[in-house]
Amino acid sequence: MNILMIAVNDPAGTGIAFCRAVNRLGRHTCRIATLETRYAHSWDMDLHVPDLDAAGLGELERLLQTSDVLHFHMTADESLRLGPFPVADFLAGKAVVHHEHGHHEFRSDPERFRAKYRALGRRNLLVSTPDLLRLMPEARWQPNLVPEQEPLFSPVERRWSGALRLAHSPTRRDLKNTDELLSVVAELKSSGAELELDLIDNVPNRECLARKQAAHALFDHMQGYYGVSSLEGLSQGLAVIAGLDDWNRARVAEFAGTGDLPWVLARGREELALRLRELAADLDRCREIGAASRRFMQDCWSEAKVAERLADFWAAL
């Protein structure tokens, strides 16, 4: 099948990652068209409409005409124009997928989206993290992926002595418990804990990954679920701290095929302080957790496994 993904902006670079992974499998052909860039993260792009010349627009038109599936990410739908092309003009005979990624408009009013999809007769619905199933239970959870074999997503040699090096890369600080983390780190350092925080903010994705890779541990957030940042850190062999709740842990365990999940749990400020103090005091333990993180991504959450799940979903449309 030929798949055309469509997004206003590619959420955390997940769309291009899916395209590449699916194309490597060879079961389907996948492309992605985008309209905007957000932040300064410089994720790779495929068909970025503002950059397309006449030949690129011709290729986009051909894909709109010939694709078997139009796969919309986040708030995108057929009301979009891709350059000169109204997407609504190309729906006939195609399967349509809506893929929610936790955009604040969706989280604040999921019923608006559910009602729209019901009115349009849309039943091919995906969500990117299991917590979103609470908001749209008729959807299917499609985990995000990272290419765990690529150099930037692999472990590197680290010096396991001295201060604990902790990375944190919030896209939006208000959604990532960043203020709490900063407060806890300051408190621990004032009490003598050996801890260094690398706050990675609004830099190109490759620089972000390289700086995470140099750390011992990563703080994702304490919102009850996990982000792409978690998957990156686990793949890089870091001790990844996040506040997964029981709902998310149960569904992650079901997908992973094991209840032995590698995340270091911190579900509030006190637990976060305790976990960071423990890791800073025992870097050997931190290294063991990171090694387990890497094995988990290789054995239970590989790019191929996640891409096969998406490929199967499309094949059943």
Side-chain angles (χ1 to χ4, degrees):
M1 300 174 73
N2 295 314
I3 319 297
L4 178 61
M5 291 184 167
I6 298 172
V8 176
N9 64 292
D10 189 355
T14 55
I16 191 69
F18 275 125
C19 282
R20 288 173 171 169
V22 167
N23 290 335
R24 277 192 279 266
L25 284 180
R27 291 178 54 189
H28 306 296
T29 299
C30 187
R31 304 290 301 274
I32 181 168
T34 51
L35 282 169
E36 298 177 7
T37 56
R38 304 275 172 88
Y39 315 107
H41 298 158
S42 302
W43 283 294
D44 292 340
M45 295 183 288
D46 181 10
L47 295 160
H48 188 56
V49 174
D51 296 339
L52 297 181
D53 58 13
L57 289 172
E59 182 179 16
L60 176 59
E61 183 178 26
R62 178 185 63 79
L63 291 168
L64 284 165
Q65 292 170 338
T66 61
S67 292
D68 303 296
V69 179
L70 297 182
H71 184 125
F72 293 108
H73 285 283
M74 220 152 43
T75 58
D77 60 24
E78 63 268 28
S79 66
L80 287 180
R81 291 184 66 92
L82 296 178
F85 309 120
V87 177
D89 290 353
F90 298 89
L91 290 183
K94 293 176 173 56
V96 175
V97 175
H98 293 277
H99 194 158
E100 297 297 340
H101 292 262
H103 189 278
H104 62 87
E105 289 184 14
F106 175 75
R107 287 189 181 278
S108 65
D109 191 5
E111 285 304 315
R112 176 165 66 89
F113 289 82
R114 297 178 72 196
K116 179 178 77 170
Y117 299 149
R118 284 195 299 268
L120 293 170
R122 304 282 166 76
R123 297 182 177 84
N124 304 318
L125 308 175
L126 298 174
V127 293
S128 63
T129 51
D131 62 294
L132 297 176
L133 292 172
R134 291 166 163 163
L135 305 181
M136 196 161 67
E138 62 271 29
R140 171 187 170 96
W141 171 39
Q142 171 57 52
N144 286 323
L145 57 79
V146 295
E148 79 281 355
Q149 300 303 324
E150 292 187 6
L152 279 173
F153 295 92
S154 301
V156 295
E157 290 295 324
R158 302 179 178 96
R159 180 172 56 85
W160 292 95
S161 60
L164 173 75
R165 297 193 301 277
L166 176 70
H168 176 54
S169 57
T171 303
R172 289 183 55 185
R173 295 190 182 198
D174 57 325
L175 300 179
K176 302 294 183 179
N177 301 102
T178 302
D179 288 345
E180 289 159 281
L181 174 66
L182 292 172
S183 173
V184 167
V185 168
E187 178 183 287
L188 291 177
K189 291 179 73 171
S190 68
S191 66
E194 291 191 87
L195 176 62
E196 298 172 354
L197 174 63
D198 184 7
L199 184 61
I200 308 168
D201 193 11
N202 210 28
V203 302
N205 186 50
R206 290 180 179 275
E207 178 184 338
C208 177
L209 289 170
R211 286 167 63 177
K212 287 179 183 177
Q213 204 173 35
H216 299 118
L218 171 79
F219 175 72
D220 190 354
H221 58 69
M222 298 185 292
Q223 299 296 313
Y225 53 101
Y226 64 89
V228 173
S229 187
S230 268
L231 303 181
E232 292 170 348
L234 295 173
S235 184
Q236 291 173 330
L238 306 180
V240 176
I241 305 167
L244 277 73
D245 61 24
D246 291 341
W247 163 277
N248 283 276
R249 284 181 59 82
R251 278 138 196 87
V252 167
E254 181 180 8
F255 168 71
T258 177
D260 187 15
L261 305 182
W263 281 269
V264 177
L265 292 183
R267 298 178 178 177
R269 191 183 189 283
E270 290 185 7
E271 279 194 354
L272 176 58
L274 181 59
R275 298 288 89 80
L276 286 175
R277 192 181 296 276
E278 291 170 346
L279 291 174
D282 191 349
L283 288 185
D284 286 339
R285 176 60 180 151
C286 184
R287 177 167 53 185
E288 292 172 1
I289 294 170
S293 298
R294 176 64 180 177
R295 289 194 298 271
F296 175 81
M297 291 302 290
Q298 291 176 307
D299 298 342
C300 304
W301 206 296
S302 68
E303 175 191 88
K305 176 179 178 178
V306 180
E308 285 282 8
R309 184 179 175 97
L310 182 56
D312 288 345
F313 174 81
W314 286 330
L317 298 179

